[in-house]
Amino acid sequence: MLLVALSVLIILLDVRTKVFAPVRPYLSWLVTPIQLLVTTPRKIVVWTGEHLESREDLVAQNQALNAEILVLQSQLQRLNSLKAENVRLRELLDASQRVDEKVVMAEVIGYDQNAYSHKILIDKGFSNGAYVGQAVLGATGVLGQVVETAAYSSRVLLIADASHFVPVQLARTGFRSILRGTGDLKRLELMSVPHTTDIKKGDILNTSGLDKRFPQGYPVGVVKSVTHVPGKPYADVVVVPLAQLARSRHVMLIDRQAESKE
């Protein structure tokens, strides 16, 4: 109580007589550290709150931007996919215009899951005129032949299957042979090629038409390598299929039965 009374007395004297005016600046210097000590915790709390709020805003904005980037990337991938599909459809349309026979367009709707068999499922069946043995073409070459039909779908055996054989003819020289699948989608083998045969890397092999199943003159593959092994009666000729066996989505069915009916 004494300190309080003394403080009040000093304040009244200062107000009435200005007795402490000369020393007031010095007193303010003494008080300033105390003011700083009192106000600093509050400033720290305010700064911390503002900083944390700003960081949370930045994190939220970053997450929103990342989500937007993912959406845009997805849209871009879809656009690129549609663009590529459009190119393939144009190629298939151009190829269909070069085909002399009647064709039926079909779409690939499934792939055989058997690692030892290369087959695809298409959306055309016997109700659409598909039949067993029907030749199937892609935009760039022969794909295979229909081996099984249902009402609205058919199964196609690809030329890369180890059980598939195609009579072919060398475009440059006219040499005829049989091209067989190996089970590898990127590798075919030309059978019974004598060492003296004029064949080289880059030669194109077309269907010969001798089996009455594949029309004559359609591209099947390109020679990748020719190897002459001493002691073997025939050369080893590796051929790469021209059709996109693993990527074709739209195909053409060659309707040769329509020709026979005519």
Side-chain angles (χ1 to χ4, degrees):
M1 294 295 294
L2 182 61
L3 290 175
V4 174
L6 182 60
S7 299
V8 173
L9 179 61
I10 292 173
I11 293 172
L12 291 175
L13 287 174
D14 182 58
V15 171
R16 292 179 178 276
T17 64
K18 306 297 181 182
V19 67
F20 295 107
V23 297
R24 190 177 296 160
Y26 302 101
L27 292 175
S28 64
W29 290 350
L30 295 174
V31 173
T32 297
I34 299 174
Q35 291 176 336
L36 289 175
L37 185 62
V38 172
T39 59
T40 296
R42 180 177 177 279
K43 290 181 179 180
I44 292 175
V45 171
V46 172
W47 179 86
T48 302
E50 292 177 349
H51 179 72
L52 290 177
E53 183 178 355
S54 176
R55 184 178 182 279
E56 290 176 356
D57 290 341
L58 288 175
V59 170
Q61 291 176 7
N62 184 262
Q63 291 176 343
L65 288 173
N66 285 333
E68 186 176 354
I69 289 173
L70 289 176
V71 172
L72 291 175
Q73 287 178 338
S74 176
Q75 292 176 346
L76 180 60
Q77 291 173 355
R78 176 60 177 162
L79 181 62
N80 290 335
S81 176
L82 291 174
K83 186 177 179 181
E85 182 176 350
N86 186 48
V87 171
R88 289 193 295 269
L89 287 173
R90 286 181 179 275
E91 291 175 346
L92 193 63
L93 179 61
D94 292 340
S96 67
Q97 293 175 349
R98 296 193 299 269
V99 175
D100 295 331
E101 290 78 13
K102 180 183 177 181
V103 300
V104 177
M105 308 302 290
E107 183 175 356
V108 177
I109 57 175
Y111 289 87
D112 202 317
Q113 298 300 319
N114 188 345
Y116 299 99
S117 178
H118 294 297
K119 296 177 183 177
I120 58 175
L121 190 67
I122 59 176
D123 66 347
K124 294 294 186 293
F126 58 73
S127 61
N128 309 109
Y131 56 89
V132 174
Q134 189 171 17
V136 181
L137 307 182
T140 55
V142 176
L143 278 170
Q145 61 178 296
V146 175
V147 292
E148 182 183 337
T149 61
Y152 300 104
S153 64
S154 296
R155 200 171 299 278
V156 177
L157 184 68
L158 299 179
I159 59 174
D161 190 276
S163 64
H164 198 284
F165 299 85
V166 184
V168 293
Q169 185 173 19
L170 199 62
R172 182 172 59 86
T173 65
F175 171 76
R176 292 189 180 94
S177 184
I178 303 295
L179 191 64
R180 73 177 184 90
T182 65
D184 185 342
L185 291 174
K186 297 181 180 180
R187 186 176 184 272
L188 308 173
E189 291 181 354
L190 194 61
M191 301 174 61
S192 305
V193 180
H195 292 287
T196 57
T197 302
D198 181 11
I199 185 171
K200 59 184 179 181
K201 180 180 178 179
D203 278 342
I204 301 297
L205 293 167
N206 297 326
T207 52
S208 65
L210 294 180
D211 62 347
K212 305 300 181 181
R213 179 167 296 176
F214 292 96
Q216 182 181 2
Y218 291 111
V220 184
V222 57
V223 176
K224 180 181 180 180
S225 65
V226 180
T227 305
H228 300 281
V229 180
K232 294 186 66 173
Y234 300 110
D236 293 334
V237 181
V238 177
V239 177
V240 177
L242 287 172
Q244 302 294 323
L245 302 182
R247 294 186 295 171
S248 294
R249 183 174 177 183
H250 297 88
V251 300
M252 295 180 292
L253 305 179
I254 305 299
D255 190 1
R256 304 204 78 183
Q257 288 186 346
E259 297 178 7
S260 60
K261 291 177 183 179
E262 295 175 359

